[in-house]
Amino acid sequence: ACASMLPAAQNLIYKVYSRGDWVDRSKKANTTADCEAVIRNLFPSMWRVGADFLRSAAASEGAEMLSEFEKREAKLVKMIQKKKGKEAAIPGKNPTAESLRTKQPLAYIMLTNWIRCGPLGDPGLMFYSDRALADLFSLLNWHDFEVDSDGINSEQIEQLRGRLGLRKANEKMPYITGVKVDRKTGFLELNTHDAKLAASEWPKIALKLHSRIELSGRLLYGGAPD
């Protein structure tokens, strides 16, 4: 389960940043026309999210490559300023995960909390059943994110997990089997496999999710006090 995180992260990054099949096409480009088509489609988006990173990479290839980068950068900046103004032509200095967080919020939350959910040692999402994950995600506050919390179900979670390639800690008997909210306190409570073995749907003293869950600076869940 732990080892599945790296390929899952690579799958997610490729999905968001590859701009369709242009990265694959760039590897096969061998004519001037092909190279220009690739640059035209990839350079603007790469420059916007990490201009300094791209400049350093060009400089490491030599003065000629750096000069080529600076020419294309100047042309792009001029075009953006003309269309959208000077502020729009200010790029990101280095790549960030913001595109991942905004374009794939469910996948990002699942991936970054797979081993441990938050900094307080709450069980990671790899210990949850798909139904429990659907319960959890449907109870988070997705305001400002394009997530239909009412439409989240276990089949959707299973498909998302499959596309990422995330493996559970125990496929057949996940430790956490359900999540619900205490309507009086607003805290999320976790049902466990141990509780089911004890012939009780929920333990008398329910496990609570203590860690806050945030995304892009927005609070999805405030956490329960220790």
Side-chain angles (χ1 to χ4, degrees), residues 2-181:
C2 294
S4 72
M5 274 196 66
L6 179 58
Q10 291 170 334
N11 287 340
L12 182 58
I13 290 168
Y14 187 83
K15 181 179 179 68
V16 172
Y17 290 107
S18 63
R19 291 184 62 84
D21 63 348
W22 281 105
V23 170
D24 288 335
R25 291 174 67 173
S26 72
K27 297 174 183 177
K28 301 173 183 176
N30 51 23
T31 68
T32 301
D34 289 342
C35 289
E36 283 299 321
V38 168
I39 292 170
R40 190 166 55 250
N41 280 274
L42 283 179
F43 184 80
S45 58
M46 293 173 70
W47 180 85
R48 286 188 185 95
V49 298
D52 284 357
F53 182 81
L54 204 59
R55 185 179 293 105
S56 297
S60 69
E61 295 294 326
E64 185 177 349
M65 182 67 75
L66 179 59
S67 176
E68 177 70 14
F69 167 81
E70 289 174 341
K71 288 178 184 177
R72 292 185 181 275
E73 180 181 46
K75 183 178 179 181
L76 179 63
V77 168
K78 186 177 180 180
M79 181 185 70
I80 294 173
Q81 287 178 340
K82 184 177 180 181
K83 289 184 176 180
K84 300 182 179 180
K86 290 185 178 181
E87 289 189 4
I90 300 174
K93 292 184 177 297
N94 285 298
T96 71
E98 188 58 25
S99 291
L100 299 177
R101 290 189 284 264
T102 55
K103 294 180 180 179
Q104 299 286 333
L106 278 176
Y108 185 85
I109 287 289
M110 185 183 295
L111 178 65
T112 54
N113 291 277
W114 194 244
I115 293 177
R116 184 176 68 176
C117 187
L120 300 180
D122 289 310
L125 303 186
M126 67 179 182
F127 296 105
Y128 285 60
S129 67
D130 290 331
R131 175 193 158 194
L133 284 174
D135 291 344
L136 172 64
F137 291 149
S138 66
L139 293 170
L140 298 181
N141 177 17
W142 293 105
H143 181 66
D144 292 333
F145 290 97
E146 294 183 4
V147 175
D148 177 16
S149 58
D150 293 333
I152 298 175
N153 56 60
S154 58
E155 290 79 10
Q156 177 189 1
I157 297 301
E158 183 180 8
Q159 291 173 4
L160 176 59
R161 191 169 51 79
R163 287 195 299 270
L164 291 172
L166 287 170
R167 298 287 301 274
K168 292 182 183 179
N170 191 322
E171 291 281 352
K172 294 183 178 180
M173 290 193 301
Y175 177 60
I176 296 172
T177 58
V179 181
K180 69 177 182 179
V181 63

